[in-house]
Amino acid sequence: MTEVVLQLLNVESAYGPIKAIRGVSLKVRAGEIATVLGSNGAGKTTILKTISGIIDPRKGSIEFKGHNITARDPAFIVQQGLSHVPEGREVFPLLSVKDNLLMGAYTRSDRDGVARDMETVFRYFPILHERATQDAGLLSGGQQQMLAISRAIMAAPALILLDEPSLGLSPKLTKEIFEIVVRINRERGTTILLVEQNANMALNAADYGYVLENGRIVMEDTCERLREKDDIKEFYLGLKDDGVRGERRWKKKKTWR
C-alpha cells in the first residue's frame, strides 16, 4: 500500500466565531496529485492554511510524513518538506526572478542541488530564464504564477500545497500551468495537494479528489470515478445528464449522494 504523506483527522478551523472547515478528514498518498473541489467560500483555502500552520485548528490533528504538525510554526513545517503556493501568487515584487527562486531554497545547503533545480524550473518555464534579472513585480499574472510554483520547487519539497493556480489566468495559460503541474508530479515524484475551482482541469490532472461544501467533505473518490458522477457533471462540470453543457448553479441547495 502506498505511503500516506499527509493526513487530516476531524480538523476544524475558524475565523473568529465563524467556522470555515468542519470535521475535515483527508489523506494524500506519496506520489499522487490529490484535489479538493468546491465553490468559492467552501473552505478550500482554509484547509491549506491550516495544514501549513498559517491558521491554528481548533480541533483535530494533522500528520505529515508520520509526524504531528498540528499548529506548528510555519517555518518548522517548511523545514519538514512542505511548500505552500498561496492563492494570488504572493511573489516578492521588488526582488528579481532569480532572487525569488533562491528565497525558495533558503532552507537548503546543497548548492549543486539548488543549481540543478534552478535549471529544472527554467526548463519548465523558459520565460523565467529570459526574465531572471527582472523584478518579479513587473511580471504578468501568469508569469508570477509560474514563479510561485517554481519557488516552491526550489525548496525540494515532499509535498506542495497548490492554491487556485488558475485564478485570473486565461484558459490557454491555465492549460499550460496544469500541464507543468502534472510534469512536476510525474517527473520529480512530488506529491501535490491541489485546491481549485476549475473542476474540469483539476479532475483531469489529479488522481484522487474530495468535494468540499460549506466546510465539510461531502464526497470523495478517484478522479476517474468522480468525473462520471451525475452531481459532479451537473454542478462542477456544467453538464446535464444527457451530456449537454448546462448552466452552473453554484448556489443551488443540493443533497450529495
Side-chain angles (χ1 to χ4, degrees), residues 94-252:
L94 300 181
L95 294 182
S96 70
V97 167
K98 185 175 181 180
D99 285 342
N100 266 267
L101 294 173
L102 291 175
M103 286 295 290
Y106 81 97
T107 60
R108 300 175 62 179
S109 57
D110 57 325
R111 290 188 177 182
D112 290 344
V114 170
R116 285 194 299 272
D117 284 344
M118 185 82 73
E119 292 176 3
T120 297
V121 299
F122 285 155
R123 188 172 70 251
Y124 287 147
F125 302 111
I127 190 65
L128 297 183
H129 191 198
E130 294 176 20
R131 306 199 173 184
T133 60
Q134 181 176 323
D135 286 355
L138 300 178
L139 298 177
S140 69
Q143 291 162 359
Q144 288 187 18
Q145 184 65 74
M146 296 174 187
L147 180 56
I149 293 171
S150 297
R151 185 177 61 192
I153 294 172
M154 291 299 297
L159 172 66
I160 293 177
L161 306 179
L162 189 53
D163 194 353
E164 299 281 8
S166 73
L167 185 67
L169 303 186
S170 68
K172 181 178 182 294
L173 195 50
T174 295
K175 183 174 181 291
E176 292 175 7
I177 292 288
F178 269 85
E179 286 173 350
I180 295 298
V181 168
V182 172
R183 281 186 64 189
I184 292 166
N185 170 256
R186 303 297 186 252
E187 295 176 5
R188 297 175 62 87
T190 305
T191 306
I192 297 172
L193 177 58
L194 165 70
V195 154
E196 181 56 62
Q197 277 199 67
N198 188 327
N200 186 48
M201 296 298 294
L203 289 172
N204 280 293
D207 304 295
Y208 199 86
Y210 297 86
V211 178
L212 190 70
E213 186 178 78
N214 297 323
R216 298 183 186 276
I217 300 291
V218 295
M219 187 186 300
E220 65 172 278
D221 210 331
T222 65
C223 289
E224 183 178 6
R225 293 194 189 102
L226 285 177
R227 286 195 299 268
E228 298 306 313
K229 291 184 182 292
D230 290 340
D231 290 328
I232 298 297
K233 285 182 177 180
E234 183 175 358
F235 294 98
Y236 287 88
L237 302 181
L239 298 173
K240 297 180 181 178
D241 291 341
D242 58 5
V244 177
R245 185 162 293 279
E247 179 185 358
R248 290 177 185 252
R249 302 179 188 86
W250 293 102
K251 296 182 180 179
K252 181 178 178 181

Side-chain angles (χ1 to χ4, degrees), residues 38-49:
S39 60
N40 188 37
K44 304 185 304 298
T45 291
T46 302
I47 289 176
L48 299 193
K49 287 183 175 181

